[in-house]
């Protein structure tokens, strides 16, 4: 069975646009995984401590992997980009988050789906809306409605 997955991508260190563009290629190379589409890129002000702006986007993927195996593959890609987890919401070379997994709700120690901040972050909602505005989240809200209601300040398409 193929799972439909939406992945959030972000970077604000070491040539961020190159980091996220390479990550798309690497996601497509994950075993039993195909990159279906991706959003335009957005520049956004960072959440958390003062740091450089982020480049963000979203991707739609089909994978035969289970959620935790796919998460491990994403984390391996982050590590290949020298992702360092020193500070909560700190700067990073690459951040890959599973935003949605089919229409499932997942709550484990390693993974929360839908992503915990999906509904309130313009840098997640706007790119996701570009590729999946028709989606209805498990809570009944549509991506399109959430994107229309979100605060867009500090987030712009590049």
């Amino acid at each position: 069975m193929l799972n439909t997955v939406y992945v959030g991508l972000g970077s604000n260190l070491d040539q961020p646009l190159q980091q996220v563009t390479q990550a798309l290629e690497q996601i497509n190379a994950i075993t039993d995984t195909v990159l279906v589409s991706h959003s335009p890129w957005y520049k956004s002000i960072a959440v958390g401590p003062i740091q450089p702006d982020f480049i963000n986007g979203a991707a739609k993927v089909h994978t035969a992997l289970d959620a935790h195996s796919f998460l491990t593959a994403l984390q391996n890609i982050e590590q290949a980009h020298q992702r360092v987890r020193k500070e909560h919401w700190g700067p990073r070379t690459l951040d890959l988050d599973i935003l949605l997994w089919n229409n499932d709700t997942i709550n484990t120690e390693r993974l929360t789906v839908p992503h915990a901040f999906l509904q309130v972050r313009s840098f997640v909602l706007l790119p996701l809306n570009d590729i999946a505005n028709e989606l209805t989240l498990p809570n009944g809200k549509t991506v399109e409605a959430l994107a229309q209601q979100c605060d867009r300040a500090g987030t712009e398409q590049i």
Side-chain angles (χ1 to χ4, degrees), residues 27-127:
I27 290 168
N28 193 47
I30 295 171
T31 302
D32 297 326
T33 300
V34 175
L35 175 67
V36 177
S37 63
H38 66 87
S39 71
W41 300 114
Y42 286 78
K43 181 180 179 184
S44 64
I45 295 171
V47 173
I50 295 173
Q51 58 189 297
D53 291 344
F54 270 83
I55 300 298
N56 296 99
K60 179 180 181 180
V61 173
H62 287 158
T63 185
L65 299 177
D66 64 82
H68 287 91
S69 296
F70 188 73
L71 176 62
T72 298
L74 292 180
Q75 290 173 337
N76 289 339
I77 293 170
E78 289 177 339
Q79 291 306 309
H81 286 251
Q82 282 77 49
R83 164 84 188 253
V84 177
R85 297 175 189 268
K86 286 183 180 176
E87 181 178 19
H88 187 61
W89 290 341
R92 57 208 91 152
T93 53
L94 186 62
D95 187 25
L96 300 174
D97 293 320
I98 297 175
L99 304 174
L100 297 166
W101 187 273
N102 299 317
N103 197 32
D104 299 349
T105 299
I106 303 171
N107 285 303
T108 67
E109 188 174 311
R110 287 187 64 212
L111 182 60
T112 300
V113 175
H115 189 276
F117 299 107
L118 168 71
Q119 296 184 63
V120 295
R121 300 259 170 93
S122 61
F123 59 84
V124 175
L125 283 170
L126 297 177

